[in-house]
Amino acid sequence: MTVPGRRSSTFSRLLRHGFTDPSGAERLLDVPELAELRGDSVLLDGLGATADPDLALRGLVRLVEAQPDAERQTFTTTLLAAKPFRDRLLGVLGASEALGDHLARHPRDWESLVTYEAADLHPGVAEFERGLAEAVDAVSLRVAYRRCLLAIAARDVCGTTDVAEAAAELADLATATLRAALAIARTAAPADAALCRLSVIAMGKCGGHELNYVSDVDVIFVAEPTDGTDAADEGKALQAATRLASHLMRICSETNIEGTIWPVDANLRPEGRNGPLVRTLSSHLAYYQRWAKTWEFQALLKARAVAGDPELGAQYIDAVSPLVWQAAERENFVPDVQKMRRRVVDNIPVAQVDRELKLGPGGLRDVEFAVQLLQLVHGRSDATLHSGTTLDALAALAAGGYVGRADASQLDESYRFLRAMEHRIQLYRLRRTHLVPEDEADLRRLGRSLGLRTDPVTELNRTWKRHAAVVRRLHEKIFYRPLLDAVAQLAPGEIRLSPKAAGQRLEALGYADPAAALRHLEALASGVSRKAAIQRTLLPVLLGWFADSADPDAGLLGFRKVSDALGKTPWYLRLLRDEGAAAENLARVLSAGRLAPDLLLRAPEAVALLGDPEGLKPRGREHLEQEVLAAVGRADDAEQAVAAARGVRRRELFRTAAADLIGSYGTEDSPREPDPGALVDRVGEAVTDLNAATIAGALRAAVRAEWGEELPTRFAVIGVGRFGGHELGYGSDADVLFVHEPREGVDEQEAARAANRVVAEMRRLLQLPTTDPPLLIDADLRPEGKSGPLVRTLKAYAAYYHRWSLVWESQALLRAAPMAGDAELGARFIELVDPLRYPAEGLGEDAIREIRRLKARMESERLPRGADPTLHAKLGRGGLSDVEWTVQLLQMRHGWAEPGLRTTRTREALAAAHAAGLIPTEEAQTLDEAWVLATRVRNAVMLVRGRAGDTFPSGPRELAAVGRYLGYETGHVGEMVDDYRRITRRARAVVEEYFYGA
């Protein structure tokens, strides 16, 4: 029985030695089996030096209790007398609950930790093969594997080996295990073994000599008939090899009473899990030469023959290696690389992103991916880079000048720390995971295992975040910064990337003209000025963002032009350097197409909008009109006035286009807009508002130039078509009707002349050749079309509509809305046309047939010759015209009875028709989806090409840029076109039913 004073003293000692449960530890120390150890201070010191003294003590008690009575004395004596053994054993017990369980099940295995011969410090495959030699089945192989793993873990936790050496030992143990498993499989099926030569190729971390404690072991199997076997028996040989390979996989992967060794994963083979498990060498080569994707060659960087027929394995490696180093020359190299880069973080569950050591931002994959990418690019001409081991390859990249020495050193340090974290997390329960634990006790044990003893949890989190930040920064930097080193002035003695290597890297990033890109970089970053220094800081990240686009060359060229225009402005570079969102937003805008950069380059100071959190929000009609009218009022003449109004329009078009592009692509700070319909609505509303404000300004300028403040006649501009529907796109004209009403005492002919003169002047002013985009006013939807008067009085409209109006004119008035001029006159015009567009009791059958006839005629006559009717966004199958005419027919038939249908907006009217039960949910959603998609296609074409279009571009870069805008990753334009055809085909089926009554 322990006396109170002694108990208190022991309790304090336990606390000082790092025990978190001193009471429990005291009870364990009192068990009879530890009688000889209880009072020995070296034991307590040894336990206190472990990652988790409580866990180590529990494991030790279990191990002592499991010893046979006759051998317990030998164990305890050795434990107290041999410090190296004590440190190794307690170190393992304090870091790994799973290995403690193994020792409790196999209590004699402690003997493997007693002696340390010189050769055992860094054992190779041969030593591990000797350790596995007696295994005859899956169970005994598992036990022998764990015994070898115990020795690796002991060297690791005691610091005898560093993290890279431990990973190499784990890969060597995996190699020995694969060989042992294949031997067991061959012994079980000698007939199969006689028929074939089978080689096992290690991939991934095993192939790269950098395996984790718990990881899938990726392999590829290659086989040939045995020498002397008839070629006709190749099929039998492959069947035999497949049985052997399958048996090997079962031995390693299946769970038995000792658990599982590790899963053997053969999914990196040609065609993945859908392809044959085993192929001949010629079959492998045929696949790689014809069908393989870029990521498969990236995976082959680490290929290494590890088991089976060594000659066949060497032949395989010799045959595929040249293909690996030609991968950067493949046609789809850039899109594939970009896709892989984006998938790194995208596939992580949101709740786990902040705890992901492997895939998260600043994680292990960032290092591995950057290193492998540089190897693929520069390894074509530099064989020193041909290593499958990440840290060895990083050192070779630094030695060759492809990565700065300081950057490589920092990246090496951070990678080692993150891998050590991963190793210790997995070692605890020998489970495959890359997540940093959340439990305080787990974090404490992890921190202590890494040598952080003062405040393990706080120190661990701080150190981990610091290394992750270093990795993230250098991941972005090492691929791009040496490009600048190729053109910038460097410190004496610093190794620089050669212009040829820089050009190769730019080509790999997707730059079509690397020589021009290097010239741009030289112009931006050369010299010792503060401006050049800031550019050298900005460009590594900007180059990455440009490379993510469909046209990196355009992005870099645009950035140079903007920088040339604003480079001497003190706020410009400071904005990009200090406001992360501004730089990324600018990169996205400049590389997305022609329209937004053209608008920006006409007034580069608009860059400031990209750094303001409120800068990309559209401004309302009232605000815009106030600004435009104020600018018009300050101008000296009409041309200056409208130039000011068009300048406001240009700036607002840029604001709208930039917000649209950033919302469509997403940025690090602002994810992609999840609702394409919301983007379409915002663009339509914003462009409509700014065009209406511009027209209001032109009207004011035209009136002031000749009549002062008041026109002899009241005058209103009525928007129709997309203008009246608030659905304008970037390339849309402004469809209008002009209405006037003579003021009291003014002759009607004088009023008509004044109205016509003001219209002519407005149109002239808005189309003057300037650097600003013109605003075209189209009045062809007026009564009698182009043959009718350009301007009519309200009475004349009333008379015409009462006597002569055709059904198509009533349909055109569905989207009529006042846009500028006399608001009261505009409102009276709307009152006039309401009975025509929403006829009482709806349309008669004759009118319905006429609308259908007109639509059918338009489909046959107006589609451009040679245009694909399945891809024409306006007039094609299921396009804008189909959806709009269907919705408008519902409005004209039911608008008199359903107030919700009395709107100029297509989507609002469709939603109202659905709410009124006129069209079912699925059909309404189908029409809405098609209308939104077709509208976005037209907007995308204008943004990308800088001119309006109704069909997908034919050029691959422009088509890819449209795809990016629509949410498709590079390399998926075929999928985009297929989706468009599918969605519009479904919409056309709805049109057939609800418009044509089929």
Side-chain angles (χ1 to χ4, degrees), residues 559-589:
F559 181 69
R560 180 182 175 184
K561 289 179 177 179
V562 173
S563 295
D564 287 346
L566 293 176
K568 295 181 180 179
T569 307
W571 57 265
Y572 167 64
L573 290 176
R574 186 171 62 245
L575 171 76
L576 298 185
R577 182 193 63 197
D578 298 339
E579 300 289 341
E584 185 173 6
N585 289 343
L586 178 61
R588 299 303 184 204
V589 167

PDB file of all heavy atoms in Angstrom, residues 559-589:
ATOM      1  N   PHE A 559      -2.089  42.971 -69.721  1.00  0.00           N
ATOM      2  CA  PHE A 559      -1.479  43.491 -68.495  1.00  0.00           C
ATOM      3  C   PHE A 559      -0.328  44.431 -68.832  1.00  0.00           C
ATOM      4  O   PHE A 559      -0.143  45.460 -68.174  1.00  0.00           O
ATOM      5  CB  PHE A 559      -0.981  42.331 -67.632  1.00  0.00           C
ATOM      6  CG  PHE A 559      -0.363  42.779 -66.343  1.00  0.00           C
ATOM      7  CD1 PHE A 559      -1.130  43.341 -65.341  1.00  0.00           C
ATOM      8  CD2 PHE A 559       0.999  42.650 -66.137  1.00  0.00           C
ATOM      9  CE1 PHE A 559      -0.564  43.762 -64.152  1.00  0.00           C
ATOM     10  CE2 PHE A 559       1.582  43.069 -64.949  1.00  0.00           C
ATOM     11  CZ  PHE A 559       0.793  43.627 -63.960  1.00  0.00           C
ATOM     12  N   ARG A 560       0.440  44.095 -69.843  1.00  0.00           N
ATOM     13  CA  ARG A 560       1.521  45.001 -70.220  1.00  0.00           C
ATOM     14  C   ARG A 560       0.956  46.346 -70.692  1.00  0.00           C
ATOM     15  O   ARG A 560       1.480  47.403 -70.342  1.00  0.00           O
ATOM     16  CB  ARG A 560       2.381  44.378 -71.315  1.00  0.00           C
ATOM     17  CG  ARG A 560       3.512  45.323 -71.717  1.00  0.00           C
ATOM     18  CD  ARG A 560       4.376  44.783 -72.830  1.00  0.00           C
ATOM     19  NE  ARG A 560       5.355  45.789 -73.225  1.00  0.00           N
ATOM     20  CZ  ARG A 560       6.210  45.627 -74.229  1.00  0.00           C
ATOM     21  NH1 ARG A 560       6.216  44.495 -74.919  1.00  0.00           N
ATOM     22  NH2 ARG A 560       7.060  46.593 -74.527  1.00  0.00           N
ATOM     23  N   LYS A 561      -0.098  46.305 -71.486  1.00  0.00           N
ATOM     24  CA  LYS A 561      -0.676  47.554 -71.994  1.00  0.00           C
ATOM     25  C   LYS A 561      -1.227  48.412 -70.855  1.00  0.00           C
ATOM     26  O   LYS A 561      -1.019  49.631 -70.828  1.00  0.00           O
ATOM     27  CB  LYS A 561      -1.783  47.243 -72.999  1.00  0.00           C
ATOM     28  CG  LYS A 561      -1.277  46.690 -74.322  1.00  0.00           C
ATOM     29  CD  LYS A 561      -2.441  46.392 -75.266  1.00  0.00           C
ATOM     30  CE  LYS A 561      -1.943  45.898 -76.612  1.00  0.00           C
ATOM     31  NZ  LYS A 561      -3.078  45.580 -77.541  1.00  0.00           N
ATOM     32  N   VAL A 562      -1.930  47.776 -69.931  1.00  0.00           N
ATOM     33  CA  VAL A 562      -2.468  48.528 -68.796  1.00  0.00           C
ATOM     34  C   VAL A 562      -1.325  49.084 -67.958  1.00  0.00           C
ATOM     35  O   VAL A 562      -1.361  50.242 -67.509  1.00  0.00           O
ATOM     36  CB  VAL A 562      -3.388  47.635 -67.943  1.00  0.00           C
ATOM     37  CG1 VAL A 562      -3.811  48.364 -66.664  1.00  0.00           C
ATOM     38  CG2 VAL A 562      -4.625  47.233 -68.735  1.00  0.00           C
ATOM     39  N   SER A 563      -0.297  48.277 -67.746  1.00  0.00           N
ATOM     40  CA  SER A 563       0.843  48.730 -66.943  1.00  0.00           C
ATOM     41  C   SER A 563       1.586  49.869 -67.631  1.00  0.00           C
ATOM     42  O   SER A 563       2.055  50.801 -66.979  1.00  0.00           O
ATOM     43  CB  SER A 563       1.793  47.562 -66.672  1.00  0.00           C
ATOM     44  OG  SER A 563       1.165  46.587 -65.864  1.00  0.00           O
ATOM     45  N   ASP A 564       1.702  49.794 -68.967  1.00  0.00           N
ATOM     46  CA  ASP A 564       2.344  50.891 -69.693  1.00  0.00           C
ATOM     47  C   ASP A 564       1.545  52.178 -69.543  1.00  0.00           C
ATOM     48  O   ASP A 564       2.115  53.275 -69.423  1.00  0.00           O
ATOM     49  CB  ASP A 564       2.476  50.536 -71.176  1.00  0.00           C
ATOM     50  CG  ASP A 564       3.555  49.496 -71.424  1.00  0.00           C
ATOM     51  OD1 ASP A 564       4.369  49.251 -70.508  1.00  0.00           O
ATOM     52  OD2 ASP A 564       3.576  48.915 -72.526  1.00  0.00           O
ATOM     53  N   ALA A 565       0.215  52.035 -69.542  1.00  0.00           N
ATOM     54  CA  ALA A 565      -0.626  53.225 -69.440  1.00  0.00           C
ATOM     55  C   ALA A 565      -0.661  53.805 -68.033  1.00  0.00           C
ATOM     56  O   ALA A 565      -0.769  55.020 -67.854  1.00  0.00           O
ATOM     57  CB  ALA A 565      -2.046  52.889 -69.895  1.00  0.00           C
ATOM     58  N   LEU A 566      -0.540  52.934 -67.028  1.00  0.00           N
ATOM     59  CA  LEU A 566      -0.708  53.390 -65.646  1.00  0.00           C
ATOM     60  C   LEU A 566       0.546  53.232 -64.795  1.00  0.00           C
ATOM     61  O   LEU A 566       0.518  53.524 -63.605  1.00  0.00           O
ATOM     62  CB  LEU A 566      -1.852  52.612 -64.971  1.00  0.00           C
ATOM     63  CG  LEU A 566      -3.257  52.847 -65.507  1.00  0.00           C
ATOM     64  CD1 LEU A 566      -4.250  51.932 -64.796  1.00  0.00           C
ATOM     65  CD2 LEU A 566      -3.677  54.299 -65.342  1.00  0.00           C
ATOM     66  N   GLY A 567       1.622  52.769 -65.404  1.00  0.00           N
ATOM     67  CA  GLY A 567       2.809  52.424 -64.618  1.00  0.00           C
ATOM     68  C   GLY A 567       3.365  53.569 -63.803  1.00  0.00           C
ATOM     69  O   GLY A 567       3.958  53.355 -62.743  1.00  0.00           O
ATOM     70  N   LYS A 568       3.200  54.801 -64.276  1.00  0.00           N
ATOM     71  CA  LYS A 568       3.714  55.948 -63.538  1.00  0.00           C
ATOM     72  C   LYS A 568       2.697  56.509 -62.552  1.00  0.00           C
ATOM     73  O   LYS A 568       2.988  57.460 -61.831  1.00  0.00           O
ATOM     74  CB  LYS A 568       4.143  57.038 -64.522  1.00  0.00           C
ATOM     75  CG  LYS A 568       5.319  56.619 -65.412  1.00  0.00           C
ATOM     76  CD  LYS A 568       5.734  57.740 -66.351  1.00  0.00           C
ATOM     77  CE  LYS A 568       6.908  57.307 -67.223  1.00  0.00           C
ATOM     78  NZ  LYS A 568       7.324  58.364 -68.168  1.00  0.00           N
ATOM     79  N   THR A 569       1.510  55.936 -62.546  1.00  0.00           N
ATOM     80  CA  THR A 569       0.486  56.367 -61.593  1.00  0.00           C
ATOM     81  C   THR A 569       0.771  55.715 -60.249  1.00  0.00           C
ATOM     82  O   THR A 569       0.824  54.484 -60.164  1.00  0.00           O
ATOM     83  CB  THR A 569      -0.911  55.944 -62.090  1.00  0.00           C
ATOM     84  OG1 THR A 569      -1.084  56.416 -63.423  1.00  0.00           O
ATOM     85  CG2 THR A 569      -1.992  56.511 -61.196  1.00  0.00           C
ATOM     86  N   PRO A 570       0.959  56.456 -59.195  1.00  0.00           N
ATOM     87  CA  PRO A 570       1.433  55.861 -57.934  1.00  0.00           C
ATOM     88  C   PRO A 570       0.489  54.832 -57.332  1.00  0.00           C
ATOM     89  O   PRO A 570       0.936  53.907 -56.674  1.00  0.00           O
ATOM     90  CB  PRO A 570       1.606  57.081 -57.018  1.00  0.00           C
ATOM     91  CG  PRO A 570       0.790  58.167 -57.635  1.00  0.00           C
ATOM     92  CD  PRO A 570       0.810  57.930 -59.109  1.00  0.00           C
ATOM     93  N   TRP A 571      -0.809  54.975 -57.582  1.00  0.00           N
ATOM     94  CA  TRP A 571      -1.741  54.074 -56.900  1.00  0.00           C
ATOM     95  C   TRP A 571      -1.879  52.715 -57.589  1.00  0.00           C
ATOM     96  O   TRP A 571      -2.332  51.750 -56.992  1.00  0.00           O
ATOM     97  CB  TRP A 571      -3.131  54.708 -56.798  1.00  0.00           C
ATOM     98  CG  TRP A 571      -3.732  55.104 -58.127  1.00  0.00           C
ATOM     99  CD1 TRP A 571      -3.679  56.336 -58.704  1.00  0.00           C
ATOM    100  CD2 TRP A 571      -4.454  54.259 -59.040  1.00  0.00           C
ATOM    101  NE1 TRP A 571      -4.318  56.321 -59.920  1.00  0.00           N
ATOM    102  CE2 TRP A 571      -4.810  55.056 -60.148  1.00  0.00           C
ATOM    103  CE3 TRP A 571      -4.831  52.918 -59.032  1.00  0.00           C
ATOM    104  CZ2 TRP A 571      -5.530  54.560 -61.235  1.00  0.00           C
ATOM    105  CZ3 TRP A 571      -5.546  52.414 -60.112  1.00  0.00           C
ATOM    106  CH2 TRP A 571      -5.893  53.233 -61.193  1.00  0.00           C
ATOM    107  N   TYR A 572      -1.493  52.621 -58.888  1.00  0.00           N
ATOM    108  CA  TYR A 572      -1.801  51.420 -59.670  1.00  0.00           C
ATOM    109  C   TYR A 572      -1.115  50.172 -59.124  1.00  0.00           C
ATOM    110  O   TYR A 572      -1.779  49.196 -58.729  1.00  0.00           O
ATOM    111  CB  TYR A 572      -1.426  51.668 -61.131  1.00  0.00           C
ATOM    112  CG  TYR A 572      -1.401  50.423 -61.988  1.00  0.00           C
ATOM    113  CD1 TYR A 572      -2.559  49.689 -62.221  1.00  0.00           C
ATOM    114  CD2 TYR A 572      -0.218  49.973 -62.565  1.00  0.00           C
ATOM    115  CE1 TYR A 572      -2.547  48.557 -63.004  1.00  0.00           C
ATOM    116  CE2 TYR A 572      -0.185  48.842 -63.353  1.00  0.00           C
ATOM    117  CZ  TYR A 572      -1.348  48.134 -63.567  1.00  0.00           C
ATOM    118  OH  TYR A 572      -1.330  47.001 -64.340  1.00  0.00           O
ATOM    119  N   LEU A 573       0.203  50.155 -59.094  1.00  0.00           N
ATOM    120  CA  LEU A 573       0.914  48.966 -58.627  1.00  0.00           C
ATOM    121  C   LEU A 573       0.680  48.728 -57.143  1.00  0.00           C
ATOM    122  O   LEU A 573       0.653  47.585 -56.681  1.00  0.00           O
ATOM    123  CB  LEU A 573       2.409  49.099 -58.914  1.00  0.00           C
ATOM    124  CG  LEU A 573       2.795  49.011 -60.395  1.00  0.00           C
ATOM    125  CD1 LEU A 573       4.279  49.241 -60.572  1.00  0.00           C
ATOM    126  CD2 LEU A 573       2.398  47.661 -60.974  1.00  0.00           C
ATOM    127  N   ARG A 574       0.507  49.808 -56.394  1.00  0.00           N
ATOM    128  CA  ARG A 574       0.211  49.647 -54.969  1.00  0.00           C
ATOM    129  C   ARG A 574      -1.126  48.935 -54.779  1.00  0.00           C
ATOM    130  O   ARG A 574      -1.274  48.078 -53.907  1.00  0.00           O
ATOM    131  CB  ARG A 574       0.195  51.021 -54.290  1.00  0.00           C
ATOM    132  CG  ARG A 574       0.036  50.940 -52.773  1.00  0.00           C
ATOM    133  CD  ARG A 574       0.246  52.287 -52.106  1.00  0.00           C
ATOM    134  NE  ARG A 574      -0.734  53.269 -52.539  1.00  0.00           N
ATOM    135  CZ  ARG A 574      -0.460  54.365 -53.233  1.00  0.00           C
ATOM    136  NH1 ARG A 574       0.796  54.617 -53.601  1.00  0.00           N
ATOM    137  NH2 ARG A 574      -1.403  55.207 -53.580  1.00  0.00           N
ATOM    138  N   LEU A 575      -2.108  49.280 -55.613  1.00  0.00           N
ATOM    139  CA  LEU A 575      -3.412  48.620 -55.554  1.00  0.00           C
ATOM    140  C   LEU A 575      -3.272  47.127 -55.817  1.00  0.00           C
ATOM    141  O   LEU A 575      -3.808  46.294 -55.079  1.00  0.00           O
ATOM    142  CB  LEU A 575      -4.355  49.245 -56.591  1.00  0.00           C
ATOM    143  CG  LEU A 575      -5.694  48.527 -56.807  1.00  0.00           C
ATOM    144  CD1 LEU A 575      -6.638  48.822 -55.652  1.00  0.00           C
ATOM    145  CD2 LEU A 575      -6.332  48.952 -58.130  1.00  0.00           C
ATOM    146  N   LEU A 576      -2.531  46.773 -56.858  1.00  0.00           N
ATOM    147  CA  LEU A 576      -2.379  45.356 -57.210  1.00  0.00           C
ATOM    148  C   LEU A 576      -1.566  44.602 -56.166  1.00  0.00           C
ATOM    149  O   LEU A 576      -1.831  43.425 -55.883  1.00  0.00           O
ATOM    150  CB  LEU A 576      -1.713  45.224 -58.575  1.00  0.00           C
ATOM    151  CG  LEU A 576      -2.477  45.822 -59.759  1.00  0.00           C
ATOM    152  CD1 LEU A 576      -1.738  45.507 -61.054  1.00  0.00           C
ATOM    153  CD2 LEU A 576      -3.906  45.313 -59.834  1.00  0.00           C
ATOM    154  N   ARG A 577      -0.568  45.252 -55.607  1.00  0.00           N
ATOM    155  CA  ARG A 577       0.280  44.589 -54.610  1.00  0.00           C
ATOM    156  C   ARG A 577      -0.457  44.395 -53.296  1.00  0.00           C
ATOM    157  O   ARG A 577      -0.364  43.332 -52.665  1.00  0.00           O
ATOM    158  CB  ARG A 577       1.541  45.429 -54.377  1.00  0.00           C
ATOM    159  CG  ARG A 577       2.517  44.813 -53.381  1.00  0.00           C
ATOM    160  CD  ARG A 577       3.560  45.828 -52.966  1.00  0.00           C
ATOM    161  NE  ARG A 577       2.935  46.959 -52.268  1.00  0.00           N
ATOM    162  CZ  ARG A 577       3.531  48.130 -52.074  1.00  0.00           C
ATOM    163  NH1 ARG A 577       4.750  48.346 -52.528  1.00  0.00           N
ATOM    164  NH2 ARG A 577       2.903  49.089 -51.435  1.00  0.00           N
ATOM    165  N   ASP A 578      -1.214  45.392 -52.867  1.00  0.00           N
ATOM    166  CA  ASP A 578      -1.790  45.378 -51.520  1.00  0.00           C
ATOM    167  C   ASP A 578      -3.208  44.834 -51.474  1.00  0.00           C
ATOM    168  O   ASP A 578      -3.677  44.432 -50.417  1.00  0.00           O
ATOM    169  CB  ASP A 578      -1.776  46.790 -50.924  1.00  0.00           C
ATOM    170  CG  ASP A 578      -0.365  47.339 -50.786  1.00  0.00           C
ATOM    171  OD1 ASP A 578       0.573  46.522 -50.762  1.00  0.00           O
ATOM    172  OD2 ASP A 578      -0.205  48.567 -50.718  1.00  0.00           O
ATOM    173  N   GLU A 579      -3.905  44.851 -52.603  1.00  0.00           N
ATOM    174  CA  GLU A 579      -5.276  44.346 -52.643  1.00  0.00           C
ATOM    175  C   GLU A 579      -5.289  43.081 -53.487  1.00  0.00           C
ATOM    176  O   GLU A 579      -5.350  43.149 -54.710  1.00  0.00           O
ATOM    177  CB  GLU A 579      -6.229  45.400 -53.235  1.00  0.00           C
ATOM    178  CG  GLU A 579      -6.290  46.699 -52.465  1.00  0.00           C
ATOM    179  CD  GLU A 579      -7.001  46.534 -51.128  1.00  0.00           C
ATOM    180  OE1 GLU A 579      -7.741  45.543 -50.964  1.00  0.00           O
ATOM    181  OE2 GLU A 579      -6.808  47.384 -50.257  1.00  0.00           O
ATOM    182  N   GLY A 580      -5.228  41.925 -52.810  1.00  0.00           N
ATOM    183  CA  GLY A 580      -5.142  40.653 -53.542  1.00  0.00           C
ATOM    184  C   GLY A 580      -6.265  40.458 -54.531  1.00  0.00           C
ATOM    185  O   GLY A 580      -6.066  39.946 -55.634  1.00  0.00           O
ATOM    186  N   ALA A 581      -7.468  40.896 -54.151  1.00  0.00           N
ATOM    187  CA  ALA A 581      -8.609  40.712 -55.038  1.00  0.00           C
ATOM    188  C   ALA A 581      -8.431  41.496 -56.325  1.00  0.00           C
ATOM    189  O   ALA A 581      -8.813  41.037 -57.406  1.00  0.00           O
ATOM    190  CB  ALA A 581      -9.892  41.123 -54.321  1.00  0.00           C
ATOM    191  N   ALA A 582      -7.837  42.687 -56.243  1.00  0.00           N
ATOM    192  CA  ALA A 582      -7.678  43.515 -57.438  1.00  0.00           C
ATOM    193  C   ALA A 582      -6.791  42.824 -58.462  1.00  0.00           C
ATOM    194  O   ALA A 582      -7.098  42.809 -59.665  1.00  0.00           O
ATOM    195  CB  ALA A 582      -7.097  44.868 -57.055  1.00  0.00           C
ATOM    196  N   ALA A 583      -5.672  42.264 -58.033  1.00  0.00           N
ATOM    197  CA  ALA A 583      -4.751  41.616 -58.966  1.00  0.00           C
ATOM    198  C   ALA A 583      -5.393  40.396 -59.623  1.00  0.00           C
ATOM    199  O   ALA A 583      -5.300  40.212 -60.844  1.00  0.00           O
ATOM    200  CB  ALA A 583      -3.475  41.212 -58.232  1.00  0.00           C
ATOM    201  N   GLU A 584      -6.050  39.568 -58.830  1.00  0.00           N
ATOM    202  CA  GLU A 584      -6.684  38.382 -59.416  1.00  0.00           C
ATOM    203  C   GLU A 584      -7.834  38.768 -60.323  1.00  0.00           C
ATOM    204  O   GLU A 584      -8.013  38.198 -61.406  1.00  0.00           O
ATOM    205  CB  GLU A 584      -7.168  37.428 -58.316  1.00  0.00           C
ATOM    206  CG  GLU A 584      -7.732  36.136 -58.884  1.00  0.00           C
ATOM    207  CD  GLU A 584      -8.069  35.106 -57.834  1.00  0.00           C
ATOM    208  OE1 GLU A 584      -7.971  35.415 -56.632  1.00  0.00           O
ATOM    209  OE2 GLU A 584      -8.450  33.984 -58.217  1.00  0.00           O
ATOM    210  N   ASN A 585      -8.641  39.736 -59.901  1.00  0.00           N
ATOM    211  CA  ASN A 585      -9.744  40.185 -60.740  1.00  0.00           C
ATOM    212  C   ASN A 585      -9.227  40.722 -62.068  1.00  0.00           C
ATOM    213  O   ASN A 585      -9.795  40.439 -63.132  1.00  0.00           O
ATOM    214  CB  ASN A 585     -10.551  41.273 -60.021  1.00  0.00           C
ATOM    215  CG  ASN A 585     -11.353  40.711 -58.859  1.00  0.00           C
ATOM    216  OD1 ASN A 585     -11.562  39.504 -58.756  1.00  0.00           O
ATOM    217  ND2 ASN A 585     -11.801  41.573 -57.974  1.00  0.00           N
ATOM    218  N   LEU A 586      -8.143  41.497 -62.011  1.00  0.00           N
ATOM    219  CA  LEU A 586      -7.576  42.035 -63.246  1.00  0.00           C
ATOM    220  C   LEU A 586      -7.093  40.911 -64.150  1.00  0.00           C
ATOM    221  O   LEU A 586      -7.320  40.937 -65.365  1.00  0.00           O
ATOM    222  CB  LEU A 586      -6.427  42.988 -62.914  1.00  0.00           C
ATOM    223  CG  LEU A 586      -5.694  43.600 -64.121  1.00  0.00           C
ATOM    224  CD1 LEU A 586      -6.648  44.432 -64.957  1.00  0.00           C
ATOM    225  CD2 LEU A 586      -4.512  44.428 -63.662  1.00  0.00           C
ATOM    226  N   ALA A 587      -6.431  39.920 -63.586  1.00  0.00           N
ATOM    227  CA  ALA A 587      -5.941  38.798 -64.387  1.00  0.00           C
ATOM    228  C   ALA A 587      -7.093  38.059 -65.059  1.00  0.00           C
ATOM    229  O   ALA A 587      -7.012  37.695 -66.243  1.00  0.00           O
ATOM    230  CB  ALA A 587      -5.139  37.835 -63.510  1.00  0.00           C
ATOM    231  N   ARG A 588      -8.168  37.833 -64.329  1.00  0.00           N
ATOM    232  CA  ARG A 588      -9.318  37.124 -64.908  1.00  0.00           C
ATOM    233  C   ARG A 588      -9.931  37.929 -66.048  1.00  0.00           C
ATOM    234  O   ARG A 588     -10.292  37.391 -67.088  1.00  0.00           O
ATOM    235  CB  ARG A 588     -10.380  36.865 -63.829  1.00  0.00           C
ATOM    236  CG  ARG A 588      -9.922  36.005 -62.660  1.00  0.00           C
ATOM    237  CD  ARG A 588      -9.419  34.668 -63.089  1.00  0.00           C
ATOM    238  NE  ARG A 588      -9.073  33.827 -61.955  1.00  0.00           N
ATOM    239  CZ  ARG A 588      -8.221  32.822 -62.008  1.00  0.00           C
ATOM    240  NH1 ARG A 588      -7.617  32.528 -63.136  1.00  0.00           N
ATOM    241  NH2 ARG A 588      -7.965  32.101 -60.934  1.00  0.00           N
ATOM    242  N   VAL A 589     -10.058  39.229 -65.831  1.00  0.00           N
ATOM    243  CA  VAL A 589     -10.700  40.086 -66.828  1.00  0.00           C
ATOM    244  C   VAL A 589      -9.850  40.189 -68.087  1.00  0.00           C
ATOM    245  O   VAL A 589     -10.348  40.104 -69.212  1.00  0.00           O
ATOM    246  CB  VAL A 589     -10.972  41.481 -66.227  1.00  0.00           C
ATOM    247  CG1 VAL A 589     -11.347  42.486 -67.316  1.00  0.00           C
ATOM    248  CG2 VAL A 589     -12.090  41.399 -65.184  1.00  0.00           C
TER     249      VAL A 589
END
